[in-house]
Amino acid sequence: NAQDIQGPRFGKGILNISGKDSTWSMNFTTRFQLLGSGTWQENQDGGTDFNSNFLVRRARLKFEGFAFTKNLTYKLEIGLANQDIDGASYYTDYADKIIQDAYIQWKFYKNLSIKAGQAKLPGNIERLISSGSLQFVDRSLLNKEFNIDRDIGLQLLNEHYLTPTFLIREQLAFSQGDGRNVTVGNMGGYQYTGRIELLPLGIFKNDNEMEGSALEREDKPRLMIAVAYDYNDDAVNTQSNRGDFMGIEENLYQTDITTMFADVVFKYKGVSLLAEYANRSAEDAIAKDDQGIPTGDVVRTGNAFNIQGGYLFDSNWELSGRYTHVDLDQEVRSIMEENQYTLGVSKYIVGHNLKLQTDISYATFADQSDMVMARLQLEIQF
Amino acid sequence: NAQDIQGPRFGKGILNISGKDSTWSMNFTTRFQLLGSGTWQENQDGGTDFNSNFLVRRARLKFEGFAFTKNLTYKLEIGLANQDIDGASYYTDYADKIIQDAYIQWKFYKNLSIKAGQAKLPGNIERLISSGSLQFVDRSLLNKEFNIDRDIGLQLLNEHYLTPTFLIREQLAFSQGDGRNVTVGNMGGYQYTGRIELLPLGIFKNDNEMEGSALEREDKPRLMIAVAYDYNDDAVNTQSNRGDFMGIEENLYQTDITTMFADVVFKYKGVSLLAEYANRSAEDAIAKDDQGIPTGDVVRTGNAFNIQGGYLFDSNWELSGRYTHVDLDQEVRSIMEENQYTLGVSKYIVGHNLKLQTDISYATFADQSDMVMARLQLEIQF
Amino acid sequence: NAQDIQGPRFGKGILNISGKDSTWSMNFTTRFQLLGSGTWQENQDGGTDFNSNFLVRRARLKFEGFAFTKNLTYKLEIGLANQDIDGASYYTDYADKIIQDAYIQWKFYKNLSIKAGQAKLPGNIERLISSGSLQFVDRSLLNKEFNIDRDIGLQLLNEHYLTPTFLIREQLAFSQGDGRNVTVGNMGGYQYTGRIELLPLGIFKNDNEMEGSALEREDKPRLMIAVAYDYNDDAVNTQSNRGDFMGIEENLYQTDITTMFADVVFKYKGVSLLAEYANRSAEDAIAKDDQGIPTGDVVRTGNAFNIQGGYLFDSNWELSGRYTHVDLDQEVRSIMEENQYTLGVSKYIVGHNLKLQTDISYATFADQSDMVMARLQLEIQF
């Protein structure tokens, strides 16, 4: 129609806006995920318990671009789905946690940038990959247990070439350490995070190490090896800056929590591989009140390993597999060990922007009966 | 101004965006309603109690269009007003229920479509008509008591002509059955809904059977007769998939709930008529705990009848009237019977997109004194 | 790029949309603030308590324009940050208070306008100035204690010239009086507000009396003197239509609350000055239950004075100072008197639209040790 406005290609945003005199730009977009899942688990009577769940799993609005100078970029991302905005508490003014990202990034010298605001911390690769660009229906159990999510503070980013093809990226973060959308100020100490990424074989096309699968079909082998270290001084949550606040009467139990990650991404043609290791430890994992009596809260310490890979056919159908092993420390909970085997099939209709993914998982536990889980998810992002 | 962007006609959305290479489209719009109301009711002392209420009654953002192929359409609608987003509970992760609609619809064969996600169920016509296209300030008491709102699942839609003018539309839904924005998975059984619509005299202009009043001024008489049937297996809410969760200790009381609707829409020139009947029954309406002791929760069973009509003058002023009778079953609550007589005046300045509506209602009850209610509402939708 | 859309100048909105046939317009924009702050206060052991707080202080979306006729304008503004949306209670359907403004304004005769919906009340100037256009990181303590924020109802606006340069503006408001986003209807009585503004030396460029600093650099001295009066009949909150609801068992304590403001704005070249006085009184400030026993809630009566000024250098760096004195009535709380001295430095990179502001404050109290507060804030608005 005459009054139609021209938008970008599918998946490149809803609107690409360029401010007058090119003093700013904005890319605005939205996306949502529809998920259906079912689980089967043997119960104590020998029968099988079946549970199903239909969800609008995620729904987001995103604004990003540059302001004033191309060296000053920003991002505002908000969540709308109930699982995106839950977790209201005293610490968040009892209000929904709608804001995901809200930051400014300033490239102030060569490749050196500073990022201020609320953003993902430089933790494990699975968490850094957008939930809209995953290879399976959702992230692994390693991520669920150990990721360090978003926080508010400052981040310093750099990258440089060791050789003409060997790229190194460094990221340092100084954060409040209590999780996203906290309004009551810093509790306990601060959180310090570092991540270093080595790309010895050259950079990935369009930074596709930051998305699942092998949709860019690299002509040559591409590899990223990274380690991340996170120290949360006097942390007050059971999972560093996530999980539950460890309350003791009018106060919070505090203990130093260290989380470490190592991860590898490899891609070549239709093949993609991702492996991760995570480890969390705490100075004293058992929360105690002022009299030294355990409160029941415990820091979820332990370690986990995840490996996943897939092959993308020319038809943009993908077959993928994943193995995850989570081993929480014995003192922190009864379910100590879990293995999960997942088989996934994805049809990337318009890349990650319109895709249908299904996966089936088989999980074994140390102290309960095995579980089978099947999921089907549709993702649409403009 | 030079930097102004061209939008569609008033009421056709804020932006009509067409993706590059026509691979997607989006219509983005917003709307809100401002409502003032007052009620007068005799109190026990013989005086009159007056209560007033000023509200931003609804405020919505809406995104819809097609993706990849014109046969694949989507809709994302979110609510912002407090009455749109309330109802946070354990079952919704204690988070606001911001998402109204989030679905994908695929026309996969001729007129046959499948819809996946969260959407309105094919229940009574009043509920299917958008809250922005009503003939009165708000829907009737029949709707308030018996409608089956939105849910998440799959819907199958079809339409076909019996004769060159006699259209039949069928809609089937399979849903979780616990209401919108639930995050904890399916509780009790699933919900099954069917609706069939007969349009013996030909189709309405621009599908205006799906809006109140007679703004399209049909040249020839147009009629839609429909019936809907809803069976919620092991339902856990007092109004099928709405109302209150019927809790018993750590669990929920479950009972099969059946809701039935019959409705008629007739339009010809400035005349519009709408009549509805609703009936709800339950296997055992009285919620009981494991010992068989009533918990106090009851399924709101009973029936209701609503008839409304209006005449739209050439000046786009409309005079309308409504009579609603609600008769809840004796065992389910004390206020058993209610009659409401409503007289409405609407000025459609730009159709439903900019309108001022007022109505005055007189209600009689079986066991309390009569009530008068006056309301004034302004609606703006782009 | 070919598919880029042209937006306005930086700070003039993201999109300026003009509906087909010029029947409506919309300016859509967003903004957010990133704040870091620290406080130092001597504790009882003679040491210093340090507290820090990193916040996404505000994040907003805004839609405004005209509809049908240029005399009918509207505004919808929503908040997303946790401090913008908090305060969920029984009175707001336990839902987040996302909507800030939602109103329609109709200029129906000459300069006479009526505004309907939820909007800022015509109280003190500091509150009327947008939180995105402040001279310091945040508003003063006078505002925090005494402002009357937003409410829902009707406002009548007028302006007329006494002489060719002497402008007078009047604003009257009739409101529900219980604060924004209330869903349960009017409690207690209504709220009545009036504000009159005198601009004896001519109007400010682009209405810049409604923003902090002197970015418009007036060639000639400009002055606005205003008084505002607010009477909240049978108010139910500790700060008129803000603060805490004064609950007594199943009911609310009600008392008449009067709030008065006087304020002055002066600007000339790089110089800006703002002074305010506020006073709140109540018929009976001590909330009592039905037996006359104090409930613990008290209306925060008292008075305050605030004066602030700045000088904007040619480089768009500004040096500013502020002195605030708050004196709550003795019976209403223990901290009776507070003086705050603030020194601010702002760099307006693109006016208020992209700015970095820092301020340091020194506060003395009647009954606790002095406090130092330092803040740094980045604001970006499109």
PDB file of all heavy atoms in Angstrom, chain A residues 342-365:
ATOM      1  N   THR A 342      20.241 -35.683  25.344  1.00  0.00           N
ATOM      2  CA  THR A 342      19.219 -35.005  24.538  1.00  0.00           C
ATOM      3  C   THR A 342      19.477 -35.210  23.053  1.00  0.00           C
ATOM      4  O   THR A 342      20.615 -35.123  22.598  1.00  0.00           O
ATOM      5  CB  THR A 342      19.221 -33.498  24.857  1.00  0.00           C
ATOM      6  OG1 THR A 342      18.975 -33.318  26.242  1.00  0.00           O
ATOM      7  CG2 THR A 342      18.163 -32.750  24.058  1.00  0.00           C
ATOM      8  N   LEU A 343      18.396 -35.466  22.342  1.00  0.00           N
ATOM      9  CA  LEU A 343      18.462 -35.570  20.893  1.00  0.00           C
ATOM     10  C   LEU A 343      17.545 -34.489  20.325  1.00  0.00           C
ATOM     11  O   LEU A 343      16.388 -34.392  20.737  1.00  0.00           O
ATOM     12  CB  LEU A 343      17.982 -36.961  20.456  1.00  0.00           C
ATOM     13  CG  LEU A 343      18.114 -37.275  18.973  1.00  0.00           C
ATOM     14  CD1 LEU A 343      19.584 -37.460  18.588  1.00  0.00           C
ATOM     15  CD2 LEU A 343      17.328 -38.543  18.644  1.00  0.00           C
ATOM     16  N   GLY A 344      18.075 -33.664  19.418  1.00  0.00           N
ATOM     17  CA  GLY A 344      17.286 -32.547  18.914  1.00  0.00           C
ATOM     18  C   GLY A 344      17.137 -32.552  17.408  1.00  0.00           C
ATOM     19  O   GLY A 344      18.033 -33.007  16.690  1.00  0.00           O
ATOM     20  N   VAL A 345      15.998 -32.069  16.954  1.00  0.00           N
ATOM     21  CA  VAL A 345      15.783 -31.862  15.520  1.00  0.00           C
ATOM     22  C   VAL A 345      15.259 -30.443  15.344  1.00  0.00           C
ATOM     23  O   VAL A 345      14.314 -30.044  16.019  1.00  0.00           O
ATOM     24  CB  VAL A 345      14.757 -32.873  14.954  1.00  0.00           C
ATOM     25  CG1 VAL A 345      14.485 -32.587  13.481  1.00  0.00           C
ATOM     26  CG2 VAL A 345      15.241 -34.295  15.143  1.00  0.00           C
ATOM     27  N   SER A 346      15.901 -29.693  14.473  1.00  0.00           N
ATOM     28  CA  SER A 346      15.489 -28.314  14.248  1.00  0.00           C
ATOM     29  C   SER A 346      15.272 -28.076  12.771  1.00  0.00           C
ATOM     30  O   SER A 346      16.010 -28.585  11.935  1.00  0.00           O
ATOM     31  CB  SER A 346      16.582 -27.337  14.719  1.00  0.00           C
ATOM     32  OG  SER A 346      16.833 -27.482  16.088  1.00  0.00           O
ATOM     33  N   LYS A 347      14.248 -27.275  12.466  1.00  0.00           N
ATOM     34  CA  LYS A 347      14.068 -26.813  11.099  1.00  0.00           C
ATOM     35  C   LYS A 347      14.181 -25.292  11.130  1.00  0.00           C
ATOM     36  O   LYS A 347      13.323 -24.612  11.703  1.00  0.00           O
ATOM     37  CB  LYS A 347      12.700 -27.251  10.568  1.00  0.00           C
ATOM     38  CG  LYS A 347      12.313 -26.632   9.230  1.00  0.00           C
ATOM     39  CD  LYS A 347      13.283 -26.957   8.086  1.00  0.00           C
ATOM     40  CE  LYS A 347      12.848 -26.284   6.788  1.00  0.00           C
ATOM     41  NZ  LYS A 347      13.848 -26.450   5.720  1.00  0.00           N
ATOM     42  N   TYR A 348      15.267 -24.799  10.545  1.00  0.00           N
ATOM     43  CA  TYR A 348      15.498 -23.359  10.510  1.00  0.00           C
ATOM     44  C   TYR A 348      14.846 -22.803   9.241  1.00  0.00           C
ATOM     45  O   TYR A 348      15.440 -22.842   8.163  1.00  0.00           O
ATOM     46  CB  TYR A 348      16.992 -23.055  10.529  1.00  0.00           C
ATOM     47  CG  TYR A 348      17.698 -23.570  11.767  1.00  0.00           C
ATOM     48  CD1 TYR A 348      18.372 -24.790  11.763  1.00  0.00           C
ATOM     49  CD2 TYR A 348      17.678 -22.839  12.948  1.00  0.00           C
ATOM     50  CE1 TYR A 348      19.001 -25.274  12.911  1.00  0.00           C
ATOM     51  CE2 TYR A 348      18.309 -23.313  14.102  1.00  0.00           C
ATOM     52  CZ  TYR A 348      18.972 -24.531  14.067  1.00  0.00           C
ATOM     53  OH  TYR A 348      19.586 -24.996  15.202  1.00  0.00           O
ATOM     54  N   ILE A 349      13.635 -22.320   9.363  1.00  0.00           N
ATOM     55  CA  ILE A 349      12.897 -21.866   8.178  1.00  0.00           C
ATOM     56  C   ILE A 349      13.490 -20.564   7.663  1.00  0.00           C
ATOM     57  O   ILE A 349      13.770 -20.417   6.478  1.00  0.00           O
ATOM     58  CB  ILE A 349      11.395 -21.712   8.520  1.00  0.00           C
ATOM     59  CG1 ILE A 349      10.859 -23.043   9.061  1.00  0.00           C
ATOM     60  CG2 ILE A 349      10.592 -21.257   7.300  1.00  0.00           C
ATOM     61  CD1 ILE A 349       9.519 -22.951   9.765  1.00  0.00           C
ATOM     62  N   VAL A 350      13.696 -19.616   8.569  1.00  0.00           N
ATOM     63  CA  VAL A 350      14.443 -18.388   8.237  1.00  0.00           C
ATOM     64  C   VAL A 350      15.514 -18.232   9.315  1.00  0.00           C
ATOM     65  O   VAL A 350      15.447 -17.350  10.166  1.00  0.00           O
ATOM     66  CB  VAL A 350      13.521 -17.148   8.194  1.00  0.00           C
ATOM     67  CG1 VAL A 350      14.298 -15.951   7.663  1.00  0.00           C
ATOM     68  CG2 VAL A 350      12.279 -17.399   7.327  1.00  0.00           C
ATOM     69  N   GLY A 351      16.498 -19.131   9.304  1.00  0.00           N
ATOM     70  CA  GLY A 351      17.558 -19.122  10.310  1.00  0.00           C
ATOM     71  C   GLY A 351      16.958 -19.239  11.700  1.00  0.00           C
ATOM     72  O   GLY A 351      15.967 -19.946  11.912  1.00  0.00           O
ATOM     73  N   HIS A 352      17.570 -18.539  12.648  1.00  0.00           N
ATOM     74  CA  HIS A 352      17.025 -18.562  14.006  1.00  0.00           C
ATOM     75  C   HIS A 352      15.765 -17.704  14.118  1.00  0.00           C
ATOM     76  O   HIS A 352      15.114 -17.709  15.158  1.00  0.00           O
ATOM     77  CB  HIS A 352      18.070 -18.039  15.006  1.00  0.00           C
ATOM     78  CG  HIS A 352      19.184 -18.998  15.270  1.00  0.00           C
ATOM     79  ND1 HIS A 352      18.994 -20.175  15.961  1.00  0.00           N
ATOM     80  CD2 HIS A 352      20.507 -18.969  14.932  1.00  0.00           C
ATOM     81  CE1 HIS A 352      20.146 -20.823  16.046  1.00  0.00           C
ATOM     82  NE2 HIS A 352      21.082 -20.126  15.432  1.00  0.00           N
ATOM     83  N   ASN A 353      15.429 -16.976  13.051  1.00  0.00           N
ATOM     84  CA  ASN A 353      14.345 -15.998  13.140  1.00  0.00           C
ATOM     85  C   ASN A 353      12.962 -16.614  13.003  1.00  0.00           C
ATOM     86  O   ASN A 353      11.983 -16.066  13.487  1.00  0.00           O
ATOM     87  CB  ASN A 353      14.552 -14.921  12.087  1.00  0.00           C
ATOM     88  CG  ASN A 353      15.930 -14.318  12.217  1.00  0.00           C
ATOM     89  OD1 ASN A 353      16.298 -13.845  13.282  1.00  0.00           O
ATOM     90  ND2 ASN A 353      16.723 -14.381  11.155  1.00  0.00           N
ATOM     91  N   LEU A 354      12.915 -17.718  12.322  1.00  0.00           N
ATOM     92  CA  LEU A 354      11.671 -18.482  12.258  1.00  0.00           C
ATOM     93  C   LEU A 354      12.084 -19.933  12.223  1.00  0.00           C
ATOM     94  O   LEU A 354      12.644 -20.393  11.221  1.00  0.00           O
ATOM     95  CB  LEU A 354      10.861 -18.119  11.002  1.00  0.00           C
ATOM     96  CG  LEU A 354       9.505 -18.825  10.869  1.00  0.00           C
ATOM     97  CD1 LEU A 354       8.561 -18.433  11.979  1.00  0.00           C
ATOM     98  CD2 LEU A 354       8.874 -18.517   9.515  1.00  0.00           C
ATOM     99  N   LYS A 355      11.894 -20.599  13.326  1.00  0.00           N
ATOM    100  CA  LYS A 355      12.378 -21.975  13.405  1.00  0.00           C
ATOM    101  C   LYS A 355      11.466 -22.798  14.290  1.00  0.00           C
ATOM    102  O   LYS A 355      10.782 -22.267  15.174  1.00  0.00           O
ATOM    103  CB  LYS A 355      13.813 -22.022  13.934  1.00  0.00           C
ATOM    104  CG  LYS A 355      13.983 -21.497  15.342  1.00  0.00           C
ATOM    105  CD  LYS A 355      15.439 -21.581  15.814  1.00  0.00           C
ATOM    106  CE  LYS A 355      15.564 -20.945  17.197  1.00  0.00           C
ATOM    107  NZ  LYS A 355      16.922 -20.958  17.735  1.00  0.00           N
ATOM    108  N   LEU A 356      11.481 -24.102  14.022  1.00  0.00           N
ATOM    109  CA  LEU A 356      10.713 -25.050  14.794  1.00  0.00           C
ATOM    110  C   LEU A 356      11.733 -26.032  15.334  1.00  0.00           C
ATOM    111  O   LEU A 356      12.519 -26.585  14.572  1.00  0.00           O
ATOM    112  CB  LEU A 356       9.710 -25.748  13.868  1.00  0.00           C
ATOM    113  CG  LEU A 356       8.530 -26.463  14.493  1.00  0.00           C
ATOM    114  CD1 LEU A 356       7.648 -25.518  15.281  1.00  0.00           C
ATOM    115  CD2 LEU A 356       7.711 -27.129  13.395  1.00  0.00           C
ATOM    116  N   GLN A 357      11.740 -26.209  16.657  1.00  0.00           N
ATOM    117  CA  GLN A 357      12.731 -27.098  17.264  1.00  0.00           C
ATOM    118  C   GLN A 357      12.047 -28.100  18.169  1.00  0.00           C
ATOM    119  O   GLN A 357      11.118 -27.756  18.903  1.00  0.00           O
ATOM    120  CB  GLN A 357      13.737 -26.277  18.076  1.00  0.00           C
ATOM    121  CG  GLN A 357      14.561 -25.337  17.211  1.00  0.00           C
ATOM    122  CD  GLN A 357      15.613 -24.591  18.016  1.00  0.00           C
ATOM    123  OE1 GLN A 357      15.276 -23.802  18.880  1.00  0.00           O
ATOM    124  NE2 GLN A 357      16.872 -24.832  17.726  1.00  0.00           N
ATOM    125  N   THR A 358      12.534 -29.307  18.132  1.00  0.00           N
ATOM    126  CA  THR A 358      12.013 -30.317  19.046  1.00  0.00           C
ATOM    127  C   THR A 358      13.201 -31.038  19.644  1.00  0.00           C
ATOM    128  O   THR A 358      14.243 -31.178  19.009  1.00  0.00           O
ATOM    129  CB  THR A 358      11.046 -31.283  18.325  1.00  0.00           C
ATOM    130  OG1 THR A 358      10.461 -32.128  19.309  1.00  0.00           O
ATOM    131  CG2 THR A 358      11.730 -32.102  17.273  1.00  0.00           C
ATOM    132  N   ASP A 359      13.074 -31.466  20.872  1.00  0.00           N
ATOM    133  CA  ASP A 359      14.125 -32.311  21.428  1.00  0.00           C
ATOM    134  C   ASP A 359      13.512 -33.271  22.425  1.00  0.00           C
ATOM    135  O   ASP A 359      12.436 -33.039  22.974  1.00  0.00           O
ATOM    136  CB  ASP A 359      15.287 -31.491  22.011  1.00  0.00           C
ATOM    137  CG  ASP A 359      14.918 -30.550  23.128  1.00  0.00           C
ATOM    138  OD1 ASP A 359      13.877 -30.748  23.785  1.00  0.00           O
ATOM    139  OD2 ASP A 359      15.681 -29.603  23.352  1.00  0.00           O
ATOM    140  N   ILE A 360      14.193 -34.370  22.594  1.00  0.00           N
ATOM    141  CA  ILE A 360      13.753 -35.370  23.554  1.00  0.00           C
ATOM    142  C   ILE A 360      14.949 -35.687  24.438  1.00  0.00           C
ATOM    143  O   ILE A 360      16.069 -35.832  23.951  1.00  0.00           O
ATOM    144  CB  ILE A 360      13.161 -36.615  22.845  1.00  0.00           C
ATOM    145  CG1 ILE A 360      12.614 -37.593  23.885  1.00  0.00           C
ATOM    146  CG2 ILE A 360      14.138 -37.273  21.899  1.00  0.00           C
ATOM    147  CD1 ILE A 360      11.557 -38.526  23.303  1.00  0.00           C
ATOM    148  N   SER A 361      14.694 -35.705  25.748  1.00  0.00           N
ATOM    149  CA  SER A 361      15.789 -35.887  26.700  1.00  0.00           C
ATOM    150  C   SER A 361      15.497 -37.061  27.614  1.00  0.00           C
ATOM    151  O   SER A 361      14.348 -37.330  27.966  1.00  0.00           O
ATOM    152  CB  SER A 361      15.956 -34.629  27.564  1.00  0.00           C
ATOM    153  OG  SER A 361      16.295 -33.526  26.778  1.00  0.00           O
ATOM    154  N   TYR A 362      16.565 -37.713  27.998  1.00  0.00           N
ATOM    155  CA  TYR A 362      16.466 -38.804  28.955  1.00  0.00           C
ATOM    156  C   TYR A 362      17.393 -38.439  30.101  1.00  0.00           C
ATOM    157  O   TYR A 362      18.575 -38.157  29.891  1.00  0.00           O
ATOM    158  CB  TYR A 362      16.891 -40.113  28.284  1.00  0.00           C
ATOM    159  CG  TYR A 362      16.919 -41.278  29.221  1.00  0.00           C
ATOM    160  CD1 TYR A 362      15.733 -41.880  29.642  1.00  0.00           C
ATOM    161  CD2 TYR A 362      18.125 -41.779  29.695  1.00  0.00           C
ATOM    162  CE1 TYR A 362      15.759 -42.953  30.524  1.00  0.00           C
ATOM    163  CE2 TYR A 362      18.159 -42.853  30.572  1.00  0.00           C
ATOM    164  CZ  TYR A 362      16.967 -43.433  30.992  1.00  0.00           C
ATOM    165  OH  TYR A 362      16.993 -44.480  31.857  1.00  0.00           O
ATOM    166  N   ALA A 363      16.851 -38.401  31.321  1.00  0.00           N
ATOM    167  CA  ALA A 363      17.656 -37.971  32.464  1.00  0.00           C
ATOM    168  C   ALA A 363      17.699 -39.048  33.523  1.00  0.00           C
ATOM    169  O   ALA A 363      16.690 -39.693  33.825  1.00  0.00           O
ATOM    170  CB  ALA A 363      17.073 -36.694  33.057  1.00  0.00           C
ATOM    171  N   THR A 364      18.882 -39.252  34.079  1.00  0.00           N
ATOM    172  CA  THR A 364      19.032 -40.177  35.214  1.00  0.00           C
ATOM    173  C   THR A 364      19.486 -39.381  36.427  1.00  0.00           C
ATOM    174  O   THR A 364      20.213 -38.394  36.298  1.00  0.00           O
ATOM    175  CB  THR A 364      20.080 -41.263  34.923  1.00  0.00           C
ATOM    176  OG1 THR A 364      21.351 -40.622  34.752  1.00  0.00           O
ATOM    177  CG2 THR A 364      19.743 -42.028  33.653  1.00  0.00           C
ATOM    178  N   PHE A 365      19.043 -39.801  37.604  1.00  0.00           N
ATOM    179  CA  PHE A 365      19.372 -39.110  38.852  1.00  0.00           C
ATOM    180  C   PHE A 365      19.977 -40.099  39.824  1.00  0.00           C
ATOM    181  O   PHE A 365      19.764 -41.312  39.710  1.00  0.00           O
ATOM    182  CB  PHE A 365      18.096 -38.526  39.475  1.00  0.00           C
ATOM    183  CG  PHE A 365      17.343 -37.619  38.559  1.00  0.00           C
ATOM    184  CD1 PHE A 365      16.337 -38.113  37.738  1.00  0.00           C
ATOM    185  CD2 PHE A 365      17.636 -36.266  38.504  1.00  0.00           C
ATOM    186  CE1 PHE A 365      15.639 -37.287  36.885  1.00  0.00           C
ATOM    187  CE2 PHE A 365      16.932 -35.439  37.645  1.00  0.00           C
ATOM    188  CZ  PHE A 365      15.939 -35.947  36.837  1.00  0.00           C
TER     189      PHE A 365
END
